[in-house]
């Protein structure tokens, strides 16, 4: 069964950094469109960042642009480097994958994605 497993969450003070990792269970994920989402208590799940491996194209939500960086290695791992963290970044962070996509489109909707991890908690204190 296809699985995505997130790790790297934790508690940090405002201004700090964390690096999240997403490990996929199959090599086929190397060709998938990958993204990070987050969900704060009482709020809807929202898009954070996405990446296509084949052309290196990335896309970010305005709220994290310049502070977060999505990257992928040559295996099945996707990362989210988070810097200058703010209390409003506190959320459960999810990794998501989309196997079939158009190379020129950006996918930011929850319903766009076929596979999800269970999430890793990030808590930023002021």
């Amino acid at each position: 069964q296809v699985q995505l497993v997130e790790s790297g969450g934790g508690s940090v003070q405002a201004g700090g950094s964390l690096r999240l990792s997403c490990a996929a269970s199959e090599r086929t994920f190397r060709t998938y469109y990958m993204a990070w989402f987050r969900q704060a208590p009482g709020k809807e799940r929202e898009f954070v960042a996405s990446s296509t491996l084949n052309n290196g194209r990335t896309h970010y939500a305005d709220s994290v642009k310049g502070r977060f960086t999505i990257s992928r290695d040559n295996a099945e791992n996707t990362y989210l480097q988070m810097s200058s963290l703010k209390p409003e970044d506190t959320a459960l962070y999810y990794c998501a994958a989309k196997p079939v996509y158009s190379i020129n489109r950006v996918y930011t909707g929850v319903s766009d994605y076929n596979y999800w991890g269970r999430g890793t908690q990030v808590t930023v204190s002021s």
Side-chain angles (χ1 to χ4, degrees), residues 38-41 46 87-93 120-124:
R38 66 186 181 186
Q39 187 167 16
E46 65 175 4
E88 50 264 44
D89 294 319
T90 295
L92 189 60
Y93 283 72
T120 184
Q121 179 67 39
V122 172
T123 303
V124 185

Side-chain angles (χ1 to χ4, degrees), residues 50-64:
S50 65
S51 168
T52 53
L53 188 61
N54 51 1
N55 65 359
R57 184 177 180 183
T58 58
H59 184 72
Y60 297 92
D62 288 342
S63 59
V64 306

Side-chain angles (χ1 to χ4, degrees), residues 69-80:
T69 302
I70 187 172
S71 62
R72 299 169 68 169
D73 60 20
N74 291 325
E76 296 75 49
N77 302 306
T78 303
Y79 305 97
L80 186 68

Side-chain angles (χ1 to χ4, degrees), residues 8-126:
S11 297
V12 296
Q13 291 191 327
S17 299
L18 281 174
R19 188 192 194 208
L20 305 183
S21 298
C22 172
S25 60
E26 297 184 0
R27 290 180 61 85
T28 51
F29 275 87
R30 297 176 62 185
T31 63
Y32 289 8
Y33 189 96
M34 299 297 296
W36 287 94
F37 284 73
R38 66 186 181 186
Q39 187 167 16
K43 295 188 177 181
E44 293 187 351
R45 193 170 300 188
E46 65 175 4
F47 172 82
V48 175
S50 65
S51 168
T52 53
L53 188 61
N54 51 1
N55 65 359
R57 184 177 180 183
T58 58
H59 184 72
Y60 297 92
D62 288 342
S63 59
V64 306
K65 204 170 292 184
R67 299 188 299 120
F68 291 11
T69 302
I70 187 172
S71 62
R72 299 169 68 169
D73 60 20
N74 291 325
E76 296 75 49
N77 302 306
T78 303
Y79 305 97
L80 186 68
Q81 178 67 47
M82 306 185 297
S83 303
S84 301
L85 283 162
K86 304 175 181 180
E88 50 264 44
D89 294 319
T90 295
L92 189 60
Y93 283 72
Y94 296 92
C95 178
K98 181 177 178 62
V100 180
Y101 60 94
S102 171
I103 198 170
N104 293 317
R105 280 191 60 186
V106 175
Y107 299 89
T108 62
V110 171
S111 61
D112 290 331
Y113 292 83
N114 305 86
Y115 302 106
W116 292 85
R118 293 189 174 186
T120 184
Q121 179 67 39
V122 172
T123 303
V124 185
S125 57
S126 57

